Amino acid sequence: MSDGPVRHRLLVSCADRAGIVAAVSSFLAGHGANITSSDQHSTDPSGGRFLMRMEYVLEGGDAVSLERAFGREVGAPFAMDWRISPSRPRKRVAVLVSREDHCLLDLLWRWRRGELDGEIALVASNHEVCRDDAEGFGVPFAPVPAKAEAQLLSELAAADVQLVVLARYMQILSGDFLERVGCPVINIHHSFLPAFVGADPYRRALERGVKIIGATAHYVTEELDAGPIIDQDVERVDHRHDIEGLEEVGRDIERRVLARAVQRHLEDRVLVLENRTVV
Amino acid sequence: MSDGPVRHRLLVSCADRAGIVAAVSSFLAGHGANITSSDQHSTDPSGGRFLMRMEYVLEGGDAVSLERAFGREVGAPFAMDWRISPSRPRKRVAVLVSREDHCLLDLLWRWRRGELDGEIALVASNHEVCRDDAEGFGVPFAPVPAKAEAQLLSELAAADVQLVVLARYMQILSGDFLERVGCPVINIHHSFLPAFVGADPYRRALERGVKIIGATAHYVTEELDAGPIIDQDVERVDHRHDIEGLEEVGRDIERRVLARAVQRHLEDRVLVLENRTVV
Amino acid sequence: MSDGPVRHRLLVSCADRAGIVAAVSSFLAGHGANITSSDQHSTDPSGGRFLMRMEYVLEGGDAVSLERAFGREVGAPFAMDWRISPSRPRKRVAVLVSREDHCLLDLLWRWRRGELDGEIALVASNHEVCRDDAEGFGVPFAPVPAKAEAQLLSELAAADVQLVVLARYMQILSGDFLERVGCPVINIHHSFLPAFVGADPYRRALERGVKIIGATAHYVTEELDAGPIIDQDVERVDHRHDIEGLEEVGRDIERRVLARAVQRHLEDRVLVLENRTVV
Amino acid sequence: MSDGPVRHRLLVSCADRAGIVAAVSSFLAGHGANITSSDQHSTDPSGGRFLMRMEYVLEGGDAVSLERAFGREVGAPFAMDWRISPSRPRKRVAVLVSREDHCLLDLLWRWRRGELDGEIALVASNHEVCRDDAEGFGVPFAPVPAKAEAQLLSELAAADVQLVVLARYMQILSGDFLERVGCPVINIHHSFLPAFVGADPYRRALERGVKIIGATAHYVTEELDAGPIIDQDVERVDHRHDIEGLEEVGRDIERRVLARAVQRHLEDRVLVLENRTVV
């Protein structure tokens, strides 16, 4: 991840109609922005929803006046939901863990390598076991007892984070918490959702005799394990895997799915449309 | 698949205890049998179930007297469920289809190539669309109306089949049918079970926004989509796949999972243990 | 694949600079074209090559005058290589085979299902074994002896094809042939290129003891097995696979990789940039 | 990985003939050993090589006298290469690294979790960058300059290791070193061998335009990148991946392939047969 020039990101969601791409790209060209990447998706050319993500580099233009002009000249006429997200300063991230360390360690290591497009600003946990890892990577560690949602909210607010990651955090967060936290929450579920919604998925996978197990990273909503899926992955297993064997294979899947989902989110690549995502 | 010498297969299931492998392999060695392949699985060395599959070639011995002696000298003392299955004559197979042709065509093609360790003896369907394909490959085609289970049973009996394959057969078979058919029935379900049990799995996968879809081959039991899983496979999909796109990807998964499961079964490689399989 | 309205495809390749997307999309919007899909790739924002593929539906405009105007108003000012490709009439395809039938059968079956965005107009072969399959699907079969390139060219010309697919065609085509055939040629190589370039890849894979085998679909150039790669796929194997086992696994990989590559080409999704492809 | 009773492992390689399994399993049963797992492979039932790995638990017998008796009663008569390997004390492992930390960290983390059936006894490097990670996990770190093979040998001897792992160690070891080190050496090569043998595989993969990249764990022999392959894995990539993107994807493949290979070796699951492995 080189430093290079600042890449701005424009995210757009609006009713689909002719002329959107033309209007946006003409506006950007007229303000000295060179588009370096563009992705778009239309749920249905007639009557559907249009989603777009553009990255551009400013060549001489001014970011603030461009943003103001965009709303007036393009956003309003097309009734867009839109957002311009400077890729720096990078988003601040809190990671919540319980006893399992693999997802946390993997995120910390990727962050140290510079692979993660954000800053890990806080590790919070209802156990002490991950304190040394967090502090070893130079990240503050906040012990927060289970159920102490008010304390957790205040730690997150103090750390000023824009993303919360549940890295095998074994506490269910209330709808009230999700409303008040004020930023997206990403969870890793240790099954190939919607198979094995809820607790103890590896044991249930063993009992059902599945030949493939998986993990799912999703945004957290009030309904348990039902939020929009960001990424999933799987591995083949067989009758020789007992419950510990499944968990061992599963840990590898969990950490790579969660890291990929967090990275996509930090790059503003995940667009949510009802209960689905466009990545 | 070369013709080579006849390979016999011994399948064993019994309570685990010391000395089973020794007893079986000494017996075989003493009767002029050269073991060419051996797989075994123990659910738990103390108090568990022991499963074994051995392939052997007879060098001078006599198959019939070996089989009789085995029961007396090894099977009975160890209280084994056991079976010796000559790999020839090969099992006769009936394929049941409705309108979708991809799984049927794939099985017919593999059978023509000699990849399948069995004989496709009958194609039966509640529609006419697959008649030409079946007959083009030289396989008799039996039209059987939906719900006409008695007629279906009599067609299967007349064809003398030892395996029934539901290759996207869109009729639910009754418990009574399953009891009377007298041989295993393998089904392909177009989802990654236990996700999306029941009808219309691709539509439900689309609505849930999963990033991976799959298919599952399983033995049919009276409880819908709950029988022992033989094989599963998956493919990655994304927001660009509409329902037709998912079905197209799905067809490729379905046909290869079903073909693999049928082949494993025909090679006597699938051992069922409660509701799970050892393959 | 529904019939729906005609979707036109615009393919562009030019030196990268600011304003290209704006110019193209404004032009299309101004001519009554609704862009339904857009993909673009830039090798380097400063000094690189810009590639774009847009699909659009004409709402009231006229295709012929749009095409003429595009060259004048956009293509020339940006010094573009460009092409507008109506998605109908669909491209005509010739499939060349030798003795192996699996890739051919798979293409024929997909074509019959309507999965393939083209017409299989001819099967040509230096053997007779695939005649019945071709004719069974209603496709003319032309026997052409090995080395008879002039005869092959005349058969291809008579069939008026825009794509030649080598579906395990075991003859090397000369540079002269490739020049004179006048359309792209896609080959399936039965290895994970660039491993095992040349003949007998499965035997060499066995000898090297690889744990994964693969197949590669690529455009044919005069240098053997070195043309631009369109798609690749792999499967896991182990020591239990002898040469026949590898070939059996390999056939499944070959047919799905070739089908995917042919389909992507027929949808004008494959852009070639030097010796690489953007798909 | 529970502690449980000591599981002994018997590894056998000999000319194939009838009666081997019977002889071995009868011997073990007669010495109070309960076989808990057995794998065997024959390259060819007539005239081939027979490989077997058995795990057993001693119930009352004596390990030392069993081992002595085995050689006399079974090993010698069948002219076996054989070895009985107590699974404890576990093998001691040295990890050699240069600047890249991902494979090292992954091994250290798995070892800390108890997933690795061995002891990481030493990290040696021609750079200082990985010192903190090694020492943070409580493992001694030995700085050894490039080319100082004598010093490296003496560090490895002092640490009394039975396995050397090259975890992205960017020095070529001499044939003399390999002879004198006295234990197996496992390397991770950052390509899907035999594609891209030698240096800079990701750059060459980019230039060739491959659609899948991989990594290969293999035993080191004097011929560069040509030793027996233990494990390989791959991931799909596309034109959007530049060289940094390929390296990032590649690091994930490298660490999981290497960890899997090291673990299989530590469990005595890798049997080498000429230049291939049976895993």
Side-chain angles (χ1 to χ4, degrees):
Chain A
M1 215 179 53
S2 71
D3 265 29
V6 177
R7 295 194 177 218
H8 299 265
R9 295 167 193 154
L10 168 64
L11 305 171
V12 164
S13 169
C14 62
D16 199 1
R17 56 182 256 207
I20 303 173
V21 178
V24 172
S25 52
S26 299
F27 172 88
L28 289 175
H31 284 75
N34 189 16
I35 300 167
T36 54
S37 148
S38 165
D39 290 291
Q40 56 192 85
H41 177 66
S42 174
T43 58
D44 185 346
S46 52
R49 196 83 191 157
F50 177 86
L51 304 170
M52 185 165 66
R53 177 190 186 275
M54 277 187 171
E55 276 195 9
Y56 56 88
V57 178
L58 273 186
E59 294 174 340
D62 166 58
V64 176
S65 64
L66 179 148
E67 186 160 351
R68 251 182 242 140
F70 185 85
R72 203 171 50 235
E73 298 175 26
V74 186
F78 283 89
M80 287 174 174
D81 285 337
W82 66 275
R83 181 159 57 94
I84 287 174
S85 152
S87 53
R88 279 182 186 54
R90 307 196 297 166
K91 292 190 186 70
R92 294 169 61 82
V93 181
V95 183
L96 273 55
V97 285
S98 291
R99 294 174 173 283
E100 294 278 358
D101 61 358
H102 56 290
C103 289
L104 171 65
L105 255 183
D106 197 54
L107 289 170
L108 288 169
W109 167 74
R110 287 177 198 271
W111 171 62
R112 184 176 78 181
R113 277 203 77 106
E115 279 187 19
L116 221 56
D117 201 9
E119 298 297 335
I120 300 188
L122 180 72
V123 173
S125 180
N126 54 329
H127 292 283
E128 280 290 315
V129 288
C130 292
R131 177 189 286 274
D132 287 354
D133 281 333
E135 293 179 353
F137 279 86
V139 177
F141 177 87
V144 179
K147 315 282 178 202
E149 290 196 345
Q151 184 185 342
L152 187 53
L153 282 168
S154 104
E155 293 282 1
L156 296 173
D160 185 26
V161 299
Q162 288 88 49
L163 176 68
V164 173
V165 177
L166 309 185
R168 298 297 309 273
Y169 182 65
M170 308 306 277
Q171 300 295 320
I172 293 175
L173 299 169
S174 71
D176 181 60
F177 176 93
L178 294 173
E179 242 171 60
R180 292 171 60 193
V181 69
C183 71
V185 178
I186 294 177
N187 181 47
I188 181 74
H189 188 270
H190 41 318
S191 91
F192 182 79
L193 289 177
F196 311 121
V197 167
D200 229 355
Y202 291 126
R203 178 161 305 279
R204 288 152 69 207
L206 185 73
E207 286 164 5
R208 183 62 188 91
V210 295
K211 302 300 187 186
I212 288 174
I213 60 169
T216 304
H218 63 97
Y219 289 114
V220 178
T221 58
E222 207 172 338
E223 190 184 343
L224 188 68
D225 301 337
I229 293 172
I230 307 170
D231 199 9
Q232 303 186 289
D233 211 341
V234 295
E235 290 274 348
R236 198 165 275 279
V237 294
D238 65 25
H239 60 274
R240 282 176 290 261
H241 290 83
D242 56 11
I243 187 76
E244 286 78 24
L246 293 183
E247 285 169 355
E248 193 172 321
V249 171
R251 283 194 289 268
D252 272 18
I253 314 175
E254 292 165 24
R255 65 179 186 170
R256 74 170 180 259
V257 170
L258 182 60
R260 219 151 53 192
V262 167
Q263 175 65 350
R264 294 296 173 278
H265 176 89
L266 292 174
E267 294 171 349
D268 293 309
R269 289 192 186 279
V270 188
L271 306 175
V272 176
L273 188 68
E274 288 154 27
N275 204 42
R276 286 182 274 161
T277 64
V278 171
V279 181
Chain B
M1 216 180 51
S2 69
D3 266 27
V6 177
R7 294 193 179 220
H8 299 265
R9 295 167 192 153
L10 167 64
L11 304 171
V12 164
S13 169
C14 62
D16 200 1
R17 55 182 256 206
I20 304 174
V21 178
V24 172
S25 51
S26 300
F27 173 88
L28 289 176
H31 284 73
N34 189 17
I35 300 168
T36 53
S37 146
S38 163
D39 291 289
Q40 57 192 84
H41 178 65
S42 173
T43 59
D44 186 345
S46 52
R49 196 84 191 155
F50 178 85
L51 303 171
M52 185 166 65
R53 176 190 187 276
M54 277 188 171
E55 275 194 10
Y56 56 89
V57 178
L58 273 186
E59 293 173 341
D62 166 58
V64 176
S65 64
L66 179 149
E67 186 160 349
R68 250 181 243 142
F70 185 85
R72 201 172 50 236
E73 298 174 25
V74 186
F78 284 87
M80 289 174 173
D81 285 337
W82 66 276
R83 182 158 58 91
I84 287 175
S85 152
S87 54
R88 277 179 190 57
R90 307 195 298 166
K91 292 190 185 70
R92 294 169 62 82
V93 180
V95 184
L96 274 53
V97 286
S98 291
R99 293 174 173 284
E100 294 279 356
D101 60 359
H102 55 292
C103 289
L104 171 64
L105 256 183
D106 198 51
L107 289 170
L108 288 169
W109 166 74
R110 288 178 198 271
W111 171 63
R112 184 176 78 182
R113 278 203 77 106
E115 278 186 20
L116 221 56
D117 202 10
E119 299 297 334
I120 301 189
L122 179 72
V123 173
S125 180
N126 54 329
H127 291 284
E128 280 290 314
V129 288
C130 291
R131 177 189 285 274
D132 287 355
D133 281 333
E135 294 179 351
F137 279 87
V139 177
F141 177 87
V144 179
K147 314 282 179 205
E149 291 196 343
Q151 183 185 344
L152 188 53
L153 283 168
S154 102
E155 293 280 2
L156 296 172
D160 184 27
V161 299
Q162 288 88 48
L163 175 68
V164 172
V165 177
L166 309 185
R168 299 297 309 272
Y169 182 66
M170 307 307 276
Q171 299 295 320
I172 293 175
L173 298 170
S174 71
D176 181 59
F177 176 93
L178 294 173
E179 241 172 63
R180 291 172 59 194
V181 69
C183 71
V185 178
I186 295 178
N187 181 47
I188 181 74
H189 188 269
H190 41 318
S191 92
F192 182 76
L193 290 176
F196 310 123
V197 167
D200 230 355
Y202 291 126
R203 178 162 305 281
R204 288 152 67 206
L206 185 72
E207 285 164 6
R208 182 61 189 91
V210 295
K211 301 301 186 186
I212 288 175
I213 59 168
T216 304
H218 64 97
Y219 289 113
V220 178
T221 57
E222 207 172 340
E223 190 184 345
L224 190 66
D225 300 337
I229 293 173
I230 306 171
D231 198 10
Q232 301 188 291
D233 210 342
V234 295
E235 291 273 347
R236 197 165 275 279
V237 294
D238 66 25
H239 59 275
R240 282 176 291 261
H241 289 83
D242 55 11
I243 187 76
E244 285 79 24
L246 293 183
E247 286 170 353
E248 194 171 320
V249 172
R251 282 194 289 268
D252 272 17
I253 313 174
E254 292 164 25
R255 65 178 185 171
R256 73 170 179 258
V257 170
L258 181 59
R260 222 152 50 192
V262 167
Q263 175 64 352
R264 293 297 172 277
H265 176 88
L266 292 174
E267 294 170 349
D268 293 308
R269 288 191 186 279
V270 189
L271 305 175
V272 176
L273 188 68
E274 286 154 30
N275 204 42
R276 287 182 272 161
T277 63
V278 171
V279 182
Chain C
M1 215 181 52
S2 70
D3 266 28
V6 178
R7 295 194 176 217
H8 300 265
R9 295 167 192 154
L10 168 65
L11 304 171
V12 164
S13 169
C14 63
D16 200 1
R17 55 183 258 207
I20 303 174
V21 178
V24 172
S25 51
S26 299
F27 173 88
L28 290 175
H31 284 74
N34 189 17
I35 300 167
T36 54
S37 146
S38 164
D39 291 290
Q40 55 193 86
H41 178 65
S42 173
T43 59
D44 185 347
S46 51
R49 196 84 191 156
F50 178 86
L51 303 170
M52 186 166 66
R53 176 189 186 277
M54 277 188 172
E55 275 194 10
Y56 57 88
V57 178
L58 273 187
E59 294 174 340
D62 166 57
V64 176
S65 64
L66 179 148
E67 185 160 350
R68 251 181 241 141
F70 185 85
R72 203 171 50 235
E73 297 174 27
V74 186
F78 284 87
M80 288 174 175
D81 285 337
W82 65 277
R83 181 159 59 92
I84 287 174
S85 151
S87 54
R88 282 183 183 54
R90 307 196 298 166
K91 292 190 187 66
R92 294 170 62 82
V93 181
V95 184
L96 273 54
V97 285
S98 291
R99 293 174 172 283
E100 294 279 357
D101 60 359
H102 55 291
C103 289
L104 171 64
L105 255 185
D106 198 53
L107 289 170
L108 288 169
W109 167 74
R110 288 178 198 271
W111 171 63
R112 183 176 79 181
R113 277 203 77 106
E115 279 187 18
L116 221 57
D117 201 11
E119 298 298 334
I120 300 188
L122 180 72
V123 172
S125 180
N126 54 329
H127 291 284
E128 281 289 315
V129 288
C130 292
R131 177 189 285 275
D132 287 355
D133 281 333
E135 293 179 352
F137 279 86
V139 177
F141 177 87
V144 179
K147 314 283 179 203
E149 290 196 345
Q151 184 185 343
L152 187 53
L153 283 169
S154 105
E155 293 280 1
L156 296 172
D160 184 27
V161 298
Q162 288 88 49
L163 175 67
V164 172
V165 177
L166 309 185
R168 298 297 308 272
Y169 183 65
M170 307 307 277
Q171 301 293 320
I172 294 175
L173 298 170
S174 70
D176 181 59
F177 176 93
L178 294 172
E179 241 171 62
R180 293 170 61 193
V181 70
C183 72
V185 178
I186 294 178
N187 181 47
I188 181 74
H189 189 270
H190 40 318
S191 92
F192 183 77
L193 289 176
F196 310 122
V197 167
D200 229 356
Y202 291 126
R203 178 161 305 280
R204 287 152 69 206
L206 185 72
E207 285 163 6
R208 182 62 188 90
V210 295
K211 301 300 187 187
I212 288 175
I213 60 169
T216 304
H218 63 97
Y219 289 114
V220 177
T221 58
E222 207 172 339
E223 190 185 343
L224 189 67
D225 301 336
I229 293 172
I230 307 170
D231 199 10
Q232 302 187 291
D233 211 341
V234 295
E235 291 273 348
R236 197 163 276 279
V237 294
D238 65 26
H239 59 274
R240 281 177 289 262
H241 289 85
D242 55 11
I243 187 75
E244 285 79 24
L246 293 183
E247 286 170 353
E248 194 172 320
V249 172
R251 282 194 289 269
D252 272 18
I253 314 174
E254 293 164 25
R255 65 179 186 170
R256 74 170 180 257
V257 170
L258 181 59
R260 222 152 52 192
V262 167
Q263 175 66 350
R264 294 296 172 279
H265 176 88
L266 292 174
E267 294 170 349
D268 293 308
R269 289 192 185 280
V270 189
L271 305 175
V272 176
L273 189 67
E274 288 153 28
N275 204 43
R276 287 182 274 161
T277 63
V278 171
V279 181
Chain D
M1 215 180 51
S2 70
D3 265 26
V6 178
R7 294 194 178 218
H8 299 265
R9 295 166 193 153
L10 168 64
L11 305 171
V12 164
S13 169
C14 62
D16 199 2
R17 56 182 256 207
I20 304 174
V21 178
V24 172
S25 51
S26 299
F27 172 88
L28 289 175
H31 285 73
N34 189 18
I35 299 168
T36 54
S37 147
S38 164
D39 290 290
Q40 56 193 86
H41 178 65
S42 173
T43 59
D44 185 346
S46 51
R49 196 84 190 154
F50 178 86
L51 304 170
M52 185 166 65
R53 176 189 187 277
M54 277 188 172
E55 277 194 9
Y56 57 88
V57 179
L58 273 186
E59 293 173 341
D62 166 58
V64 176
S65 64
L66 179 149
E67 186 161 350
R68 250 181 245 142
F70 185 85
R72 203 172 48 234
E73 298 175 26
V74 186
F78 283 88
M80 288 175 174
D81 285 338
W82 66 276
R83 181 158 57 92
I84 287 174
S85 153
S87 54
R88 278 180 187 57
R90 307 194 299 164
K91 293 191 185 68
R92 294 170 62 81
V93 180
V95 183
L96 273 53
V97 285
S98 291
R99 294 175 172 283
E100 294 278 358
D101 60 359
H102 55 291
C103 289
L104 171 64
L105 256 182
D106 198 53
L107 289 171
L108 288 169
W109 166 75
R110 288 178 197 271
W111 171 63
R112 184 176 78 181
R113 277 203 76 105
E115 280 187 18
L116 222 56
D117 201 8
E119 299 297 335
I120 300 188
L122 179 72
V123 173
S125 180
N126 55 328
H127 292 283
E128 280 291 314
V129 289
C130 291
R131 176 189 285 275
D132 287 354
D133 281 333
E135 293 178 353
F137 279 86
V139 177
F141 177 87
V144 178
K147 315 280 178 206
E149 291 197 343
Q151 184 185 342
L152 188 53
L153 283 169
S154 103
E155 293 280 1
L156 295 173
D160 185 26
V161 298
Q162 288 88 50
L163 175 67
V164 173
V165 177
L166 309 184
R168 298 299 308 272
Y169 182 65
M170 308 307 276
Q171 301 293 321
I172 292 176
L173 298 169
S174 70
D176 181 59
F177 176 94
L178 294 173
E179 242 172 61
R180 291 172 59 193
V181 71
C183 72
V185 179
I186 295 178
N187 180 48
I188 181 74
H189 189 268
H190 41 318
S191 92
F192 181 79
L193 288 177
F196 310 122
V197 167
D200 230 354
Y202 291 126
R203 179 160 305 280
R204 289 152 67 206
L206 185 72
E207 286 164 5
R208 182 62 189 92
V210 295
K211 301 300 186 186
I212 288 174
I213 60 169
T216 304
H218 63 98
Y219 289 113
V220 177
T221 57
E222 207 171 339
E223 190 184 344
L224 189 67
D225 301 338
I229 293 172
I230 306 170
D231 199 9
Q232 303 187 288
D233 211 342
V234 295
E235 291 273 348
R236 198 164 276 279
V237 295
D238 66 25
H239 59 274
R240 282 176 290 261
H241 289 84
D242 56 11
I243 187 77
E244 285 79 25
L246 293 183
E247 286 170 354
E248 194 172 319
V249 171
R251 283 194 288 270
D252 272 18
I253 314 175
E254 292 164 24
R255 66 178 185 169
R256 73 170 180 260
V257 170
L258 181 60
R260 220 152 52 191
V262 167
Q263 175 66 350
R264 293 296 172 278
H265 176 88
L266 291 174
E267 294 170 348
D268 294 309
R269 289 191 186 280
V270 189
L271 306 175
V272 176
L273 188 69
E274 287 154 31
N275 204 43
R276 287 181 273 161
T277 64
V278 171
V279 181

